[in-house]
């Protein structure tokens, strides 16, 4: 029975070892037979990286001949793909596992698997083995391609099969994929992160920065374009560091994006960029290529130099503001969004007010705001987390109130303007109501025919709200 447990100390180490690029599969006949007549259900928490990993897991399961079910009670295998970024996300998972345990009474052959970022933490795996022994498989972010072999072992094992690689392995190409949507697709460009912001567990759970080969990425974009996709999002924890590890290739993110934009796909996005690595030449690509949409997600985390330093963000408030100014000079209509943490250890009211003033100064289109959550094994977890929860909540509320006003003001500037929309959803409750996303990533609700789903269209904005817009269709 496999028992390979995670170790955060090992995960932290960065070495110069070469990353190999290998290919998934092929699966042998026995593995291909395992899923015949069986159903799978995947529950995903966390960021787009996890969403995309779940698409790969779905692809692998379907290659093993499992079929998807929306009804969890019918599932023969349930995978919970987890997020470790904040404690609250972890607590939800433990609660969910308790519920899923009951399903084993109905279907004793049910395989319950835990994967994703939480599996990379030793305290999580210890807790699972002790308190949730009914979990059958635990695997991590580096070895999801091993899913077929782990299922095969679990089918014959009485105890949990645990295989978590603490160190990242090869980059595995050609992973089968079942995408949730047929018009918008995620593409990984790089895995891992070497920034080690002091609060963040990602460099431990996702390993060192590793870039995919540019040709593999470009081929995937071309294939998706041929399949009729309208929009792709290039994914990485820090896409702006793309290529730094591909020493022989002389490629960076700006070059990759320039080439990607030559593919005839209507929309290209990317996320997430780090202000430290942001290459200003990228702005020229925005100016010259119409399919690179005008939205930049640029996490600032704090407006206080003291806190930025304690977070090890590698830039100051003024450097961030200068970067924003440069971006806005070249791209006046760009939508800027950000991530902000309140209540980082030692954050005084004055530090917090500096975050509020930065928010007012930049006027972000929207912001993801979080209360600091101590993550075991990170440097910040050893700092004195000295702010009362009520104070953290108060700061979060103030920040959200301010952003709401700013977002509403920004959205009001769009009223009467014509916008391009990619239609994403039919409203289940209100027939005839559709929602689409602008190039700047804003949601617009409007009346229209369901045939528009997955297509590009145009609307005129009629009403602004803080988190969405209303519009009327201009062209069918
Ligand atoms: N506590 C709260 N928020 C965090 N983030 C990352 N780590 C933590 C943490 N320990 C936030 C950051 C990051 C976003 C994805 O999650 O703002 O940009
Ligand atoms: Fe975490 Fe910082 Fe890396 Fe983002 S850049 S994933 S916040 S360590």
């Amino acid at each position: 029975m496999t028992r390979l447990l995670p170790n955060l100390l090992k995960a932290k180490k960065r070495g110069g070892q070469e990353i190999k690029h290998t290919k998934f599969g092929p699966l042998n006949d026995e593995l291909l037979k395992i899923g015949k007549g069986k159903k799978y259900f995947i529950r995903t928490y966390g960021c787009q990286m996890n969403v995309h990993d779940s698409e790969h897991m779905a692809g692998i399961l379907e290659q093993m001949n499992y079929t998807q079910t929306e009804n969890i009670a019918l599932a023969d295998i349930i995978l919970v793909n987890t997020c470790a970024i904040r404690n609250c996300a972890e607590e939800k998972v433990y609660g969910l596992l308790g519920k899923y345990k009951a399903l084993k009474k109905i279907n004793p052959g049910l395989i319950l698997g835990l994967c994703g970022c939480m599996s990379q933490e030793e305290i999580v795996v210890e807790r699972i083995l002790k308190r949730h022994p009914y979990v059958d498989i635990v695997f991590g972010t580096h070895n999801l391609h091993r899913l077929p072999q782990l299922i095969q072992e679990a089918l014959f094992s009485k105890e949990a099969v645990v295989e978590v690689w603490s160190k990242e392995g090869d980059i595995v190409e050609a992973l089968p994929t079942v995408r949730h949507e047929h018009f918008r697709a995620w593409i990984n460009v790089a895995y891992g992160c070497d920034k080690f912001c002091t609060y963040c567990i990602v460099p431990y759970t996702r390993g060192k920065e590793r870039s995919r080969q540019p040709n593999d990425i470009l081929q995937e974009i071309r294939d998706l374009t041929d399949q009729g996709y309208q929009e792709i999002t290039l994914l990485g924890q820090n896409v702006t560091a793309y290529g730094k590890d591909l020493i022989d290739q002389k490629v960076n993110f700006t070059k990759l994006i320039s080439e990607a934009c030559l593919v005839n796909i209507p929309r290209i996005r990317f996320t997430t960029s780090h202000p430290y690595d942001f290459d200003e030449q990228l702005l020229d690509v925005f100016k010259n290529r119409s399919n690179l949409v005008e939205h930049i997600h640029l996490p600032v985390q704090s407006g206080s130099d003291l806190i930025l330093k304690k977070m090890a963000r590698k830039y100051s408030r003024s450097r961030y503001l200068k970067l924003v100014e440069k971006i806005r000079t070249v791209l006046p209509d760009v939508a800027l969004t950000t991530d902000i943490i309140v209540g980082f250890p030692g954050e005084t009211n004055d530090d917090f007010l500096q975050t509020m003033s930065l928010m007012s100064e930049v006027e972000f289109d929207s912001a993801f705001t979080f209360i600091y959550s101590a993550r075991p094994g990170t440097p910040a977890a050893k700092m004195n987390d000295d702010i009362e929860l009520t104070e953290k909540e108060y700061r979060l509320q103030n920040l959200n109130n301010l952003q709401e006003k700013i977002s509403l003001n920004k959205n009001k500037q769009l009223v009467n303007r014509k916008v391009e929309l990619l239609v994403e959803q039919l409203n289940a409750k209100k027939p005839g109501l559709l929602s689409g996303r602008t190039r700047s990533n804003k949601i617009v609700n409007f009346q229209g025919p369901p045939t528009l789903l997955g297509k590009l269209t145009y609307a005129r904005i009629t009403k602004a709200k803080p988190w969405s817009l209303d519009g009327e269709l201009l062209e069918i």
Side-chain angles (χ1 to χ4, degrees), residues 16-62:
Q17 74 275 29
E18 199 197 334
I19 298 294
K20 291 197 194 82
H21 295 241
T22 59
K23 279 201 166 152
F24 178 80
L27 300 182
N28 64 35
D29 286 349
E30 261 179 50
L31 295 173
L32 289 173
K33 271 193 277 181
I34 289 180
K36 276 223 168 97
K38 295 185 188 158
K39 296 195 162 35
Y40 74 90
F41 182 96
I42 304 178
R43 178 75 204 258
T44 309
Y45 290 92
C47 62
Q48 289 109 328
M49 243 352 158
N50 265 17
V51 171
H52 192 37
D53 280 352
S54 289
E55 292 182 332
H56 286 317
M57 289 189 254
I60 293 173
L61 290 169
E62 294 201 7

Side-chain angles (χ1 to χ4, degrees), residues 49 187-192 234-239 270-273:
M49 243 352 158
I187 298 186
N188 282 324
V189 298
Y191 303 94
L234 303 179
L235 287 180
Q237 305 298 342
N238 174 15
V239 283
F270 60 87
T271 197
T272 286
S273 27

Side-chain angles (χ1 to χ4, degrees), residues 238-242 244 253 270 272-275 277-279 282:
N238 174 15
V239 283
T240 28
Y242 173 80
K244 286 190 177 173
F253 189 59
F270 60 87
T272 286
S273 27
H274 191 296
D277 293 311
F278 195 92
D279 174 10
L282 189 57

Side-chain angles (χ1 to χ4, degrees), residues 81-229:
N81 191 3
T82 60
C83 169
I85 209 139
R86 280 170 291 275
N87 188 48
C88 52
E90 297 202 344
E91 288 305 323
K92 275 189 210 151
V93 167
Y94 293 124
L96 194 77
L97 289 178
K99 275 198 207 151
Y100 289 173
K101 180 185 174 189
L103 295 169
K104 286 202 152 189
K105 291 209 180 92
I106 312 168
N107 178 2
L110 170 68
I111 292 182
L112 183 54
L114 185 92
C115 54
C117 288
M118 273 174 78
S119 305
Q120 297 290 141
E121 295 176 83
E122 50 251 55
I123 50 166
V124 170
V125 178
E126 276 163 25
R127 182 167 163 176
I128 294 289
L129 291 174
K130 234 192 240 154
R131 295 210 239 159
H132 305 269
Y134 51 88
V135 171
D136 302 287
I137 307 177
V138 181
F139 60 102
T141 57
H142 301 311
N143 62 339
L144 67 88
H145 59 281
R146 294 257 312 139
L147 183 56
Q149 291 78 8
L150 298 177
I151 295 175
Q152 188 179 40
E153 195 179 335
L155 284 171
F156 298 103
S157 169
K158 287 211 160 53
E159 287 176 53
V161 174
V162 181
E163 185 180 298
V164 182
W165 300 0
S166 297
K167 301 271 330 141
E168 61 288 323
D170 302 339
I171 288 189
V172 183
E173 291 293 343
L175 283 170
T177 313
V178 173
R179 297 183 187 269
H180 291 310
E181 294 173 329
H182 301 292
F183 44 92
R184 232 171 29 148
W186 314 109
I187 298 186
N188 282 324
V189 298
Y191 303 94
C193 179
D194 287 348
K195 280 284 173 289
F196 287 100
C197 302
T198 55
Y199 51 81
C200 187
I201 199 159
V202 169
Y204 309 79
T205 60
R206 293 254 167 203
K208 88 170 188 173
E209 237 157 47
R210 288 149 293 147
S211 304
R212 287 179 70 199
Q213 297 285 351
N215 285 341
D216 290 328
I217 299 167
L218 293 168
Q219 192 53 46
E220 193 172 348
I221 301 176
R222 283 185 215 110
D223 291 345
L224 290 166
T225 310
D226 291 345
Q227 290 163 35
Y229 281 85

